[in-house]
Amino acid sequence: MPTASIISTLGAGSGIDTKQLVSDLVDAQYAAQTAKYETNSEKLEAQISSVGELLSGITGFSNALKSRASDGSLTTQPTVSDSSILSVSAQSGAALKGLDTQIEVRQLASAQVSSSEVIADPQAHIGTGTLTLAFGTAEVADGEMTGFTPGATSVDIAIGEEDGSLQGIADAINAADAGVTASILTDADGARLVLKSATGAAQAFTLTATETEGDEGLAALNVGVGATGTSIGTAAADAIVAVDGVAVRRSTNSMGDLIPGVDIDLARASPGTLVKLGVRQPTAALSGIVSDFVDTFNEYLGMVREATDPSSGTLASDSAVRTLSRSLGGMTLQKLVPDAAPGVPSTLAEIGVATNRDGTLSIDAERLAAVLASNPQAVEKMFSASAGLPKKLAEIADAAANAKTGLAASETRFNDRQEELDESREKALADAETMRTRLTQQYAAMEARVASYRSTQDFLKQQVDAWNGAND
């Protein structure tokens, strides 16, 4: 008999609600296991959630501090008196102080730019052969190269039948990657081949054709002394700048070797104009980051203390959280600038950040202001992106994320326990269903027997009643 049919007949013979009885017996048998599962599951879910929040919190705290320390707002920056002439920026890791320099931009570095005469159809065949590109220094006047001193570099570029058009020649030059960029400039009159070198006086170039006999035409693109089919729009030249009156040359307009720790980008030449370079110290930004660090630290510490509360904390007995708490507790006394000279602040405590009795941090505003006024470089070093406080906090975050000993290990352990608990619950549910089926079948058999007994009883009663009626 199917289980559904058995269940529907339970109680039919005895009058007892055996269906409810079976349910009550099964529930009673597994009540303790169910209650234990619910309790343990709720505890594990709370632990998993709590450890996840703490791990995410310390990682986010560390990343935010590192990002802030890397954006340049906490480091001394160079300044210029006229940014239309040149711009400056601090090199990574540079310690700038006492910068007092004057720069005169006498000439910008430029590239040689040549152009051919107009060709009506850029796809039309011009010729084949070899183009030899040679680099050196040149004299240019009125768009013509009047002199050229070759250097040690030259490149041969083969121009075959498939490359013989203006566009094909430009593509072949670019494919050679020889230091000159070719492009096609088109206007209403037609197309021109434009060649451009890198900047610097030594990047002047000539282009000389060796033509295939019977397929001449490449010589029209020659660039150099006596070339008639091309003109020089811009001559190759070095940048000339005077640093505190001393003139120097550079092949580009971006230079990082004139002033230690400073990158300079030239915008325009202005002979006779002196641009003054100085520094701007990030005093306000440093004061702000100290305040932000303390506020964030205290907020995160509150999360840790709530999780480790002896009576109500979900992670009160977790060793990884206790280790994290101890690491945070020693932050103000950590030496953040190992190479600091005697008397130079190197810990948070020495710039006015104190640890209170409850573990939270507070700021002595007057002391911080005094340190920022007398030694801002020391505070700046404490918040260096590659060292200092960002590095210390990153070490704590990395330890928390350790898969063997940190919060990540605790998270894995709690998840494994939850999985084991779920498997035990599934087994208990399966056992309960087995018991339910067994009891249902047993009580169904009992009900069948009771029903049979009652049928016999009813028959005998009818017979007795019949006999008694006959005797009357």
Side-chain angles (χ1 to χ4, degrees), residues 281-284 286-288 290 367-377 379-380:
Q281 293 175 331
T283 305
L286 289 171
S287 178
V290 172
R367 185 172 183 180
L368 176 60
V371 174
L372 286 172
S374 62
N375 201 338
Q377 292 83 12
V379 183
E380 187 175 324

Side-chain angles (χ1 to χ4, degrees), residues 269-350:
S270 183
T273 301
L274 299 181
V275 179
K276 181 177 175 58
L277 274 64
V279 294
R280 180 181 64 253
Q281 293 175 331
T283 305
L286 289 171
S287 178
I289 193 62
V290 172
S291 179
D292 291 344
F293 174 81
V294 168
D295 290 343
T296 306
F297 180 95
N298 289 341
E299 182 179 349
Y300 183 72
L301 184 64
M303 294 169 57
V304 174
R305 294 177 63 185
E306 181 180 355
T308 56
D309 185 274
S311 59
S312 61
T314 55
L315 303 174
S317 60
D318 187 83
S319 61
V321 182
R322 291 198 300 271
T323 299
L324 171 63
S325 182
R326 286 194 297 271
S327 298
L328 293 173
M331 288 292 288
T332 58
L333 300 179
Q334 287 283 331
K335 191 159 187 174
L336 303 177
V337 187
D339 59 349
V344 175
S346 63
T347 68
L348 290 176
E350 290 172 335

